[in-house]
Amino acid sequence: MKERWFVRWRPYRGNLEKTPVAMNEYLPVGQSMVLGAQHAFAMFGATILAPLLMGFDPSLTMLITGIGTILFFLITGGHVPSYLGSSFAFIGAVAAATGYAGAGSNPNIALALGGTIVCGVLYAIVGLMVMRTGTQWIEKLMPPVVTGTIVMIIGLNLAPVTIKSVSANNFDAWMALVTILCIGTIAVFTRGMIRRLLLLIGLVMSYAIYFVCANVMGLGKPIDFNAISNAAWFGLPAFHQPVFQLNAILLIAPVFIILIAENLGHFKAVSAMTGQNISPYMGRAFFADGLCTTLSASVGGTGMTTYAENIGVMAATKIYSTVVFVIAGVFAILLGLSPKFGSLISTIPVAILGGASIVVFGLITIAGARIWISNQVDFSKNGNMIVAAIALIMGAGNYSLHIGNFDLGGIGTATFAAILMNLVFNRETRTLKTGSGTTPLTSPAMPVKE
């Protein structure tokens, strides 16, 4: 019998305090909308920051990520819970191709768009290949010891930037800690739906505390609400046309390799969290990400990727319903189309976003460790130990290699190091456990020499 494109959804009948919400389950409309808003909050900081660092329009990027997330849902048939946000993997390549100095709008944005379009096309082609040939050849390159390491690298690599963002002054450092304590208190001492909304409620609580401390007591930089009153309720962002130049294409197009490695790590993290083998849909996910990257760059947006921040939200809430991501996409579209609403969200202080990021990135890191544990990766084997140890330090320290003008970045360098070291040091066959099934992988391990 031919497989259905979309999952068979059913209403959630379990106990929110004890039972996770599966990918093919849905909650009542009110709860789903609040959960979608939480995912929108989780991706907001990074999705806005990435275009700012490349000189792109954040409002346009927000709009496109919402549309892209909904397209991702349709193309994957609701089998993969994920949010598509703006990718940081493009920053170095875009800066090199356009000569962007890091302030204001990028005057050569058209060159970046052309290179990003080609990158998306190449990525989509890989997705079609995986849909045609299966996932084995990719999974043999990335067994549990590698994928767990890659997921941990993503969380650890982002940590220094996050910590630096909340260390500008003593007040911000304390408010970041307050945010962490608010989220942690909800995670530990509450139950039911309140616990599942720990990030959203934690942000609201810490925002209120920040307002009292800064705006009322004058202890820190006050929140400026002028931008909200001056902003229009509705408005379209500015669009841009791409220009295809060979040098820019050669610099930006290879980023698709990093996206594959990054998204495979995200993919395995989701498999480990949900206990579901979603490998059969990996090709669809790659194709969807590549297509959405191409469409985004065609109108002036950034390259896109599945978002680790939202994986962290799922790890904390145990709610994996793919329907929630459609709602998050709608929220993002509203943000992109409403300058006033976007201005309201932009008033969230850096200290609060940074505190929430510390929690989320920590959860991502733990998700990588969970892949190791659930697949019983044996670190008494020298091969596994060397692969994980070296790659983790390279990623955490942002060790980056350059190939000509192409910057692999800390995550990319550590990812390729993990893959290559595994091929060199390991030769045995291992099985990846995802809860409902197993997927054959190659994960060699040299016998330890006593």
Side-chain angles (χ1 to χ4, degrees):
M1 186 175 67
K2 187 176 180 180
E3 181 188 9
R4 289 168 54 95
W5 185 266
F6 287 96
V7 300
R8 294 181 181 271
W9 281 283
R10 62 175 186 264
Y12 176 72
R13 302 296 187 188
N15 185 337
L16 278 174
E17 296 182 15
K18 300 179 180 179
T19 311
V21 179
M23 291 181 288
N24 64 333
E25 294 178 326
Y26 59 88
L27 293 163
V29 174
Q31 293 180 344
S32 296
M33 290 184 67
V34 177
L35 289 165
Q38 178 170 250
H39 274 289
F41 271 93
M43 63 79 194
F44 180 82
T47 291
I48 288 298
L49 181 60
L52 288 175
L53 294 176
M54 291 183 280
F56 285 60
D57 182 359
S59 294
L60 176 60
T61 298
M62 184 66 66
L63 172 65
I64 296 300
T65 62
I67 296 173
T69 297
I70 296 173
L71 284 176
F72 183 91
F73 169 85
L74 295 174
I75 293 172
T76 60
H79 290 280
V80 184
S82 188
Y83 188 92
L84 289 191
S86 53
S87 174
F88 282 73
F90 288 90
I91 294 175
V94 167
T98 63
Y100 180 61
S105 299
N106 192 331
N108 297 315
I109 188 174
L111 299 179
L113 298 178
T116 303
I117 288 174
V118 176
C119 175
V121 170
L122 293 174
Y123 191 15
I125 291 173
V126 172
L128 292 174
M129 291 173 57
V130 172
M131 292 170 64
R132 179 77 175 177
T133 63
T135 63
Q136 291 81 1
W137 61 279
I138 288 183
E139 293 181 335
K140 284 182 179 180
L141 293 175
M142 300 182 180
V145 65
V146 173
T147 52
T149 300
I150 292 172
V151 173
M152 293 186 75
I153 286 169
I154 293 169
L156 293 173
N157 181 266
L158 297 171
V161 176
T162 302
I163 298 298
K164 185 177 180 180
S165 71
V166 300
S167 302
N169 56 70
N170 193 48
F171 179 77
D172 281 359
W174 278 105
M175 285 308 307
L177 179 60
V178 168
T179 304
I180 294 169
L181 292 175
C182 287
I183 296 173
T185 298
I186 296 169
V188 175
F189 298 113
T190 63
R191 295 183 178 181
M193 197 65 187
I194 294 178
R195 175 179 288 183
R196 297 303 176 94
L197 296 173
L198 76 169
L199 288 171
L200 183 59
I201 296 176
L203 282 173
V204 172
M205 288 175 57
S206 56
Y207 188 96
I209 295 172
Y210 187 104
F211 175 82
V212 172
C213 293
N215 291 61
V216 178
M217 302 175 63
L219 298 178
K221 181 180 179 181
I223 300 173
D224 185 4
F225 297 102
N226 290 327
I228 301 175
S229 59
N230 296 331
W233 282 103
F234 176 82
L236 287 173
F239 296 97
H240 300 274
Q241 291 185 337
V243 170
F244 296 92
Q245 185 189 74
L246 182 60
N247 289 339
I249 291 173
L250 292 176
L251 286 170
I252 299 174
V255 173
F256 84 94
I257 301 173
I258 299 176
L259 295 179
I260 291 173
E262 179 182 54
N263 289 334
L264 182 60
H266 292 176
F267 212 79
K268 294 304 180 182
V270 172
S271 290
M273 285 190 300
T274 61
Q276 298 294 317
N277 180 17
I278 55 177
S279 293
Y281 310 103
M282 188 184 299
R284 288 199 211 176
F286 286 171
F287 174 77
D289 195 358
L291 176 64
C292 291
T293 291
T294 299
L295 294 177
S296 174
S298 297
V299 296
T302 64
M304 302 172 72
T305 185
T306 53
Y307 245 39
E309 287 84 347
N310 298 88
I311 295 174
V313 172
M314 288 191 290
T317 64
K318 304 297 188 297
I319 295 176
Y320 310 116
S321 173
T322 52
V323 174
V324 172
F325 288 92
V326 176
I327 298 172
V330 172
F331 270 101
I333 292 173
L334 293 176
L335 284 171
L337 292 176
S338 175
K340 187 173 289 291
F341 191 38
S343 296
L344 173 63
I345 301 301
S346 67
T347 63
I348 300 176
V350 173
I352 294 178
L353 289 175
S357 296
I358 291 173
V359 176
V360 171
F361 295 153
L363 291 171
I364 295 167
T365 304
I366 295 302
R370 183 176 178 178
I371 292 176
W372 289 344
I373 294 170
S374 62
N375 291 281
Q376 301 176 353
V377 176
D378 187 358
F379 285 106
S380 69
K381 308 296 185 181
N382 284 351
N384 289 335
M385 184 171 60
I386 290 296
V387 168
I390 295 176
L392 280 176
I393 296 301
M394 292 174 71
N398 201 32
Y399 182 87
S400 180
L401 292 177
H402 297 259
I403 302 175
N405 292 325
F406 180 59
D407 183 3
L408 283 174
I411 293 176
T413 300
T415 293
F416 285 115
I419 295 171
L420 294 175
M421 285 190 294
N422 180 71
L423 292 174
V424 172
F425 298 136
N426 291 326
R427 288 186 295 273
E428 296 176 1
T429 299
R430 194 175 297 273
T431 300
L432 174 64
K433 302 175 184 177
T434 58
S436 63
T438 58
T439 302
L441 294 178
T442 301
S443 177
M446 291 174 57
V448 63
K449 296 181 180 179
E450 302 291 347

